[in-house]
Amino acid sequence: MFIDISNLKKSYKSGAVVTEVLKGIGMKLEKGEIGVILGPSGSGKSTLMNIIGGIDRGDSGRVIVNRIEVNNLNDDALTDYRREHIGFVFQFYNLIPNLTVGENIEVVSNISKSPLNMDEVLAAVGMQDKKHRFPRELSGGEQQRVAIARAIVKNPKLLLCDEPTGALDFQTSRSILQLLEQVNKKYGTTILMITHNAAIAAMANRVFKVRSGEVVEESVNQSPSPAEGIEW
């Protein structure tokens, strides 16, 4: 099992008020699968993803990713884990505005021990002809393609996508989902996506519905739908 989480709990304290965000989450995802975490705002799905990605820590429970017990890592080991194992794609692209497309990707490529070829990755996301452009010269969909290229160039074991289509129109959203599908097939990258859009679940191998800090429903999709056919 590539991702194996059990009884994961997380709470935040503000003064005397303690807010439970995750209340014993459990989930599993096989290597090479696409997983989707569905849930409304405030359900705990972003906190869950941040813990899986090594940005945050759980209070208790087990979080194993690619045989690594993430919750037991010290700060230095957690930095190495994020650098070598995890690629992040966010709703807002977080590109460096004064660097070109190629330079945005190169920054990440240079810190990886086993990066993919940058030009190959740019071709895979359909952005090879925009290599020397700046983010401000690109559409939202193009910026998200660059963000995906930046995430996959370091050859991560796991690609975490936080509302990757949340800022995009329908047609652009579907093209981004198709791109993620291609990345999964071409590179064998395990992908875990969080979204409030239930239609996206059709393309996943496993779907986890999260509400109030708990997985309330889990389903396995034996025949995921092609992203190009997803409608909402």
Side-chain angles (χ1 to χ4, degrees):
M1 194 63 63
F2 185 77
I3 296 178
D4 189 356
I5 298 172
S6 60
N7 202 29
L8 175 62
K9 296 181 180 180
K10 178 69 178 179
S11 60
Y12 294 101
K13 189 173 183 180
S14 178
V17 179
V18 176
T19 303
E20 282 187 285
V21 181
L22 302 180
K23 305 172 184 176
I25 290 276
M27 61 178 290
K28 298 178 187 291
L29 193 66
E30 296 278 8
K31 183 175 175 59
E33 288 187 329
I34 296 176
V36 165
I37 301 173
L38 282 176
S41 297
S43 60
K45 59 187 189 297
S46 290
T47 299
L48 173 59
M49 180 165 282
N50 287 341
I51 292 172
I52 294 170
I55 294 175
D56 203 352
R57 294 181 187 273
D59 296 332
S60 61
R62 185 179 67 183
V63 182
I64 296 175
V65 179
N66 197 31
R67 299 193 294 271
I68 298 170
E69 174 53 273
V70 180
N71 250 359
N72 289 345
L73 299 178
N74 62 31
D75 288 346
D76 288 342
L78 211 53
T79 298
D80 289 340
Y81 165 76
R82 289 193 302 268
R83 180 184 297 140
E84 295 303 320
H85 294 269
I86 307 297
F88 293 99
V89 178
F90 299 102
Q91 177 176 351
F92 301 106
Y93 325 112
N94 294 338
L95 301 176
I96 301 170
N98 60 339
L99 296 184
T100 65
V101 165
E103 290 166 343
N104 264 280
I105 296 170
E106 199 171 28
V107 164
V108 175
S109 177
N110 287 341
I111 65 171
S112 174
K113 291 179 181 176
S114 56
L116 300 172
N117 178 275
M118 182 174 69
D119 289 323
E120 177 192 323
V121 170
L122 276 171
V125 302
M127 293 295 292
Q128 63 269 45
D129 60 334
K130 308 285 176 67
K131 182 177 179 179
H132 301 294
R133 297 214 181 162
F134 290 93
R136 65 179 177 273
E137 300 175 298
L138 305 176
S139 69
E142 287 172 335
Q143 289 187 61
Q144 191 62 296
R145 285 176 176 272
V146 176
I148 292 169
R150 182 184 56 185
I152 64 174
V153 74
K154 64 178 181 176
N155 200 13
K157 307 293 188 299
L158 176 62
L159 188 61
L160 297 176
C161 305
D162 189 349
E163 298 281 8
T165 64
L168 304 173
D169 62 54
F170 169 71
Q171 291 296 344
T172 307
S173 294
R174 192 157 65 176
S175 74
I176 292 299
L177 295 175
Q178 287 177 268
L179 175 57
L180 291 171
E181 188 178 62
Q182 291 164 20
V183 167
N184 172 255
K185 289 183 168 65
K186 181 177 177 67
Y187 299 110
T189 310
T190 307
I191 295 176
L192 186 59
M193 198 180 332
I194 67 173
T195 182
H196 64 273
N197 187 344
I200 294 176
M203 67 179 285
N205 300 101
R206 295 175 191 257
V207 181
F208 309 90
K209 292 185 179 178
V210 177
R211 186 166 60 239
S212 301
E214 299 177 290
V215 175
V216 295
E217 185 181 332
E218 178 181 344
S219 58
V220 176
N221 191 352
Q222 300 292 352
S223 302
S225 300
E228 66 180 355
I230 292 176
E231 299 275 357
W232 64 82

